[in-house]
Amino acid sequence: MDIIKNWLRQNLKGDPVLWGIVILFSLISMAVVYSATGTLAYKNELRGRSGTTEMILFKHTSLIFVGLALMWLAHRIDYRYYSRLSLYALLLSVPLLLFTFFMGGTTLNDASRWLTIPVINQTFQPSDLAKLALISHLASMLSRRQQHVNDFKATLLPVMLWVGLICGIIIMSNASTALLLFATCLLLMFIGRVPLKQMAVMVAIGIVVGGVGLASGQRYKTVLSRIESFTDKSKPVPFQLEHSYIAIATGGITGKGPGNSTERNILPHPYSDFIYAVIIEEYGMVGGVTVLFLYLAFLYRGLLTVVNSHGAFGGLLAAGLTFSLVLQAMVNMGVAVGLGPITGLPLPLLSMGGTSLIFTGISVGIILAVSRGEREIRPMVGEPADTARIPKKTAYA
C-alpha cells in the first residue's frame, strides 16, 4: 500500500482532488456512453458499417486513456512554457479553421467543423485547438500587461484582434462554441483587471463581428430557429427537448438503473449532446445532482489553484481553462433541462467524442501544472534572473 501511495505522490502531482474528480468522470463516462450507444451500433449495422456497442466502447475508452496520458504529460511541464507555445498554436489554428470552413472540411449537421486526419481516419475539430490556444495566449498577454491594462493600444487592441479573429471565424460554423469562448475571454479580462469601459468596447465590437460572422456563415438559420423555439412559447417544444424532458421526468429519484434508458433509442446524440438526460433517466435525480456537484467541485478546485498560483500568468491560465470547461458543462446541462436554447456542445469529460476528449485532457493537465506549486527557482531561458520567483508551497484544503 505504501508503494502505491509513494508512486502516486511521485507521478500524480498537483491537486489530488482534481485528479480524483477527473478519474471519477472517466469511469462515469465509460458506463454511460456504453449504455447510450446501443442505437448508434444498431444504425451502423443497418448501414453495413462495423461498430458494435463493444467496439464503440473500446474506441471511447481508448480516447479517454489517451486524454489521461496527455493530461499527465501536460501536468509535468512547467506551465510557463505554455505562454510561448500558445502563440504558435494560434498561428496554426487560424489556417486550419479557414481551411475547414472554405475548403470543404468534413460536414456534419450542415456545418464544416471537422477535418479528417489521414491514416487514422479520425475527425478533428480545429476549434478545440483554437479555443485552448486563445485562452492560453490571452492569459499570457494580460499577465505581461498588468502594468498597462488601462492602455487601449498596448492591451485592448491586441486582445481585441486575437479574440475577434478566432471567435469570428469559429462562429461561421459553430455559434455556441464561439459565444462560449467569447464569454470566457470576457471573464478572463475581468479577472485580469481590464477596465469595464474597455470591456464594454470589447462587447460592442464582439456583437458586430459576431453578427457579421453569423450572417455570412453556415448556421445563421439554425441559430435563429433555435432561439425562436426557446423564446416563443406558442411554438411546440423541439423534438430533442421533448424527449429530454421525458427522460428526466421518468428518471425519478434513483432512476431506472444502468442500461435501462428508453429515450436513448429516440434522442438524437444521446451519447454527446443529451448525455445528461440519459444520466438522469438511468441514475435519477441522485445521478444528476452528483454530476452537477462534481462540476462545481471541479470549479472550486480550479479557483483554489488560481488563488494559490505563483504569478499572474498561472492564475489567469488556470482561471480561463477552468471557466471554459465548467461553463460548457453548465450550458450542456442547462439545455437538457430546458434552461437554454439547443446547442451542439458536448458535456466535457463525459460525452463521447473524438479529439475533444484529448484537448479536454490537455486543458486539465495545464490546470494541474499550475496547481503543482513546484516551479524551479532558476529563470527560464530568456527570462531575467531578477524576475524569477521563489516557489511557494501550495496547501490544498
Side-chain angles (χ1 to χ4, degrees), residues 196-256:
L196 292 178
K197 289 182 179 179
Q198 293 196 20
M199 290 182 63
V201 173
M202 185 74 177
V203 171
I205 295 174
I207 292 173
V208 174
V209 173
V212 172
L214 188 60
S216 60
Q218 302 167 333
R219 306 289 285 174
Y220 180 69
K221 293 182 180 179
T222 302
V223 171
L224 282 184
S225 174
R226 289 178 174 178
I227 293 175
E228 288 176 2
S229 297
F230 177 72
T231 56
D232 189 351
K233 301 305 178 183
S234 64
K235 292 189 174 182
V237 177
F239 177 83
Q240 302 101 307
L241 276 183
E242 180 182 0
H243 288 279
S244 178
Y245 295 160
I246 293 172
I248 293 170
T250 55
I253 302 296
T254 57
K256 298 177 180 178

Side-chain angles (χ1 to χ4, degrees), residues 250-290:
T250 55
I253 302 296
T254 57
K256 298 177 180 178
N260 292 324
S261 168
T262 54
E263 293 304 314
R264 65 183 176 180
N265 301 318
I266 305 171
L267 271 169
H269 309 294
Y271 41 82
S272 57
D273 298 0
F274 287 92
I275 196 169
Y276 190 61
V278 175
I279 291 173
I280 297 178
E281 185 181 9
E282 293 191 348
Y283 299 92
M285 186 178 69
V286 173
V289 171
T290 299

Side-chain angles (χ1 to χ4, degrees), residues 241 276 329-340:
L241 276 183
Y276 190 61
M330 294 302 165
V331 169
N332 178 283
M333 292 186 289
V335 169
V337 299
L339 295 179

Side-chain angles (χ1 to χ4, degrees), residues 82-365:
Y82 295 114
S83 176
R84 298 178 182 179
L85 291 174
S86 62
L87 178 59
Y88 298 112
L90 269 183
L91 294 175
L92 175 63
S93 63
V94 171
L96 286 176
L97 287 169
L98 292 173
F99 177 83
T100 304
F101 182 78
F102 290 107
M103 303 301 291
T106 303
T107 301
L108 297 173
N109 298 327
D110 301 320
S112 298
R113 304 176 187 170
W114 293 264
L115 285 177
T116 300
I117 303 174
V119 183
I120 63 174
N121 198 33
Q122 177 66 54
T123 56
F124 158 65
Q125 283 199 69
S127 59
D128 290 328
L129 171 63
K131 183 166 58 173
L132 175 59
L134 179 60
I135 292 172
S136 301
H137 192 59
L138 181 57
S140 177
M141 287 191 292
L142 291 175
S143 66
R144 286 186 277 108
R145 293 168 170 80
Q146 282 299 290
Q147 305 303 319
H148 309 284
V149 288
N150 293 306
D151 190 326
F152 179 88
K153 185 177 180 180
T155 302
L156 185 63
L157 189 58
V159 168
M160 181 178 63
L161 289 174
W162 275 118
V163 174
L165 176 63
I166 298 298
C167 292
I169 298 174
I170 293 176
I171 202 172
M172 293 191 294
S173 59
N174 194 342
S176 52
T177 296
L179 292 173
L180 195 64
L181 179 58
F182 185 72
T184 302
C185 291
L186 288 177
L187 277 173
L188 207 51
M189 291 172 66
F190 179 77
I191 296 171
R193 302 188 305 115
V194 174
L196 292 178
K197 289 182 179 179
Q198 293 196 20
M199 290 182 63
V201 173
M202 185 74 177
V203 171
I205 295 174
I207 292 173
V208 174
V209 173
V212 172
L214 188 60
S216 60
Q218 302 167 333
R219 306 289 285 174
Y220 180 69
K221 293 182 180 179
T222 302
V223 171
L224 282 184
S225 174
R226 289 178 174 178
I227 293 175
E228 288 176 2
S229 297
F230 177 72
T231 56
D232 189 351
K233 301 305 178 183
S234 64
K235 292 189 174 182
V237 177
F239 177 83
Q240 302 101 307
L241 276 183
E242 180 182 0
H243 288 279
S244 178
Y245 295 160
I246 293 172
I248 293 170
T250 55
I253 302 296
T254 57
K256 298 177 180 178
N260 292 324
S261 168
T262 54
E263 293 304 314
R264 65 183 176 180
N265 301 318
I266 305 171
L267 271 169
H269 309 294
Y271 41 82
S272 57
D273 298 0
F274 287 92
I275 196 169
Y276 190 61
V278 175
I279 291 173
I280 297 178
E281 185 181 9
E282 293 191 348
Y283 299 92
M285 186 178 69
V286 173
V289 171
T290 299
V291 169
L292 175 60
F293 172 78
L294 287 174
Y295 281 114
L296 293 177
F298 186 96
L299 175 64
Y300 171 72
R301 301 307 295 194
L303 293 180
L304 193 63
T305 298
V306 175
V307 173
N308 292 328
S309 63
H310 295 278
F313 175 64
L316 290 168
L317 182 62
L321 295 176
T322 299
F323 280 124
S324 175
L325 292 173
V326 176
L327 282 176
Q328 181 174 328
M330 294 302 165
V331 169
N332 178 283
M333 292 186 289
V335 169
V337 299
L339 295 179
I342 296 171
T343 68
L345 293 172
L347 192 57
L349 298 168
L350 283 179
S351 290
M352 186 179 81
T355 49
S356 62
L357 286 170
I358 292 174
F359 282 102
T360 299
I362 295 172
S363 298
V364 178

